[in-house]
């Protein structure tokens, strides 16, 4: 049986004194692809930011266990070192830091080991080729002047270079044209193996035509109201979220 990677129990969380997550459970095993769907404002981004340890959110009840260890109180950088990665819904521009230097910094911070520069550069070049990102982008400032689609592809580049155990993609496919969705999906497929797991938050069922989801969760009002296999996506597309929760 596959090993448990992440286990969330009865998670309640607040932001600025407002309760957003209202008792959420989620279990992810190695080798699995999980999709999270749900209407705007349901709490999807809140959930994944809390998994990553964003300081803005306060966990008021419940636990987050990663590889058997309670990480509920750990800081974001500690979680990253344990192998959790979150791609942002709206990646920030960072003038003064190039894509390559950012990735080098992130890689050494996460592994805690000195970088083998030549091997790193070779790996970066290969992954950029695979994602169809022009080589010149390695020396450009992170996300500065990147189109929406380029920012999203760059998030996938980060994921592939950092090779986390749990990769969480928050609407990484939104704003991508169909060719870019294919490239990103192929990148994710390449990344996926029996030792890691992926959580994808999406409104776009296109990416799910390229990637097989093991579980689909519907989040509404801070709770998971329905779990199914990939056939749930068709049901959602037909019925809409408003009619999906009725048990
Ligand atoms: P989703 O990603 O599912 O669209 P979010 O997790 O971003 O939803 O937001 C969930 C709810 O939390 C929304 O009602 C949103 O308005 C609220 N929220 C998010 N951030 C804040 C904040 N800083 N202050 C107050 N409410 C917030
Ligand atoms: Mg969101």
């Amino acid at each position: 049986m596959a090993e448990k990677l992440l286990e969330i129990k009865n998670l309640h969380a607040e932001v600025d004194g407002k309760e957003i997550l209202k008792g959420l459970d989620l279990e992810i095993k190695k080798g699995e692809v999980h999709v999270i769907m749900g209407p705007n404002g349901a709490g999807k981004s809140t959930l994944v930011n809390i998994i990553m340890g964003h300081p803005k959110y306060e966990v008021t009840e419940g636990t987050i266990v990663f590889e058997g260890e309670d990480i509920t109180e750990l800081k974001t950088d500690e979680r990253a070192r344990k192998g959790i990665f979150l791609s942002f819904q709206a990646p920030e521009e960072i003038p003064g830091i190039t894509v390559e230097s950012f990735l080098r910094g992130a890689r050494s911070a996460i592994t805690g080991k000195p970088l083998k520069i030549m091997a790193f550069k070779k790996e970066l070049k290969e992954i950029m080729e695979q994602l169809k990102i022009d080589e010149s982008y390695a020396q450009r400032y992170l996300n500065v002047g990147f189109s929406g689609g380029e920012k999203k592809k760059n998030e996938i580049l980060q994921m592939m270079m950092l090779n986390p155990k749990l990769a969480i993609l928050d609407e990484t496919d939104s704003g991508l044209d169909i060719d870019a969705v294919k490239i990103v999906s192929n990148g994710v497929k390449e990344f996926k193996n029996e030792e890691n797991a992926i959580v994808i938050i999406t409104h776009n069922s296109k990416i799910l035509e390229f990637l097989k989801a093991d579980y689909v969760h519907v989040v509404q009002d801070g709770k998971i109201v329905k779990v199914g296999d990939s056939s749930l996506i068709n049901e959602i597309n037909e019925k809409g979220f408003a009619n999906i929760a009725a048990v």
Side-chain angles (χ1 to χ4, degrees):
M1 214 178 70
E3 260 176 85
K4 263 185 218 172
L5 195 57
L6 183 78
E7 194 173 17
I8 295 178
K9 280 197 182 141
N10 190 32
L11 186 64
H12 290 254
E14 291 180 358
V15 61
D16 295 336
K18 181 182 163 197
E19 187 172 50
I20 310 285
L21 299 186
K22 304 174 180 173
L24 191 146
D25 300 283
L26 180 66
E27 193 180 301
I28 298 177
K29 295 197 188 77
K30 288 184 178 174
E32 292 176 346
V33 176
H34 289 248
V35 170
I36 298 180
M37 302 185 98
N40 293 318
K44 304 180 298 296
S45 292
T46 301
L47 169 64
V48 295
N49 275 292
I50 288 172
I51 295 174
M52 199 66 232
H54 194 301
K56 188 171 90 175
Y57 304 91
E58 195 196 340
V59 173
T60 51
E61 224 183 307
T63 50
I64 305 172
V65 172
F66 186 70
E67 291 201 297
E69 182 189 352
D70 188 333
I71 61 160
T72 319
E73 302 296 330
L74 289 192
K75 294 201 179 76
T76 299
D77 62 322
E78 294 168 318
R79 298 183 197 209
R81 278 199 293 276
K82 293 199 180 293
I84 306 178
F85 171 88
L86 171 62
S87 88
F88 295 105
Q89 189 170 349
E92 278 189 50
E93 301 192 357
I94 309 188
I97 297 183
T98 66
V99 168
E100 182 176 331
S101 61
F102 175 81
L103 287 171
R104 279 161 70 158
R107 170 74 77 86
S108 351
I110 281 172
T111 60
K113 289 183 198 142
L115 211 66
K116 296 197 173 82
I117 303 287
M118 291 323 285
F120 178 88
K121 278 185 178 284
K122 183 165 171 274
E123 194 184 332
L124 178 61
K125 190 165 179 271
E126 282 168 7
I127 296 178
M128 288 180 82
E129 260 166 33
Q130 189 190 339
L131 293 172
K132 299 202 165 42
I133 301 173
D134 191 87
E135 232 183 306
S136 64
Y137 277 71
Q139 303 314 324
R140 282 182 56 173
Y141 290 145
L142 187 60
N143 289 325
V144 176
F146 286 22
S147 72
E150 287 168 345
K151 285 182 184 172
K152 296 299 172 83
K153 267 202 210 175
N154 193 63
E155 296 279 303
I156 298 298
L157 174 66
Q158 283 174 32
M159 177 189 82
M160 293 177 76
M161 289 300 291
L162 298 178
N163 197 22
K165 291 177 185 158
L166 176 66
I168 308 171
L169 308 178
D170 190 357
E171 297 194 28
T172 300
D173 51 343
S174 62
L176 293 179
D177 62 41
I178 185 66
D179 294 349
V181 169
K182 263 190 207 164
I183 292 166
V184 163
S185 313
N186 284 332
V188 173
K189 251 191 210 162
E190 178 97 348
F191 162 77
K192 185 76 209 46
N193 61 40
E194 285 308 306
E195 290 302 308
N196 61 25
I198 302 184
V199 175
I200 301 171
I201 298 176
T202 187
H203 287 297
N204 178 353
S205 46
K206 210 78 212 160
I207 194 166
L208 305 170
E209 288 173 19
F210 303 111
L211 274 177
K212 202 189 154 308
D214 297 300
Y215 295 95
V216 177
H217 309 265
V218 180
V219 176
Q220 261 173 8
D221 194 25
K223 284 191 205 128
I224 292 180
V225 295
K226 189 146 185 162
V227 185
D229 60 17
S230 52
S231 67
L232 185 54
I233 295 163
N234 301 329
E235 202 181 326
I236 292 168
N237 284 339
E238 266 169 44
K239 295 188 188 165
F241 289 122
N243 300 312
I244 210 84
V247 188

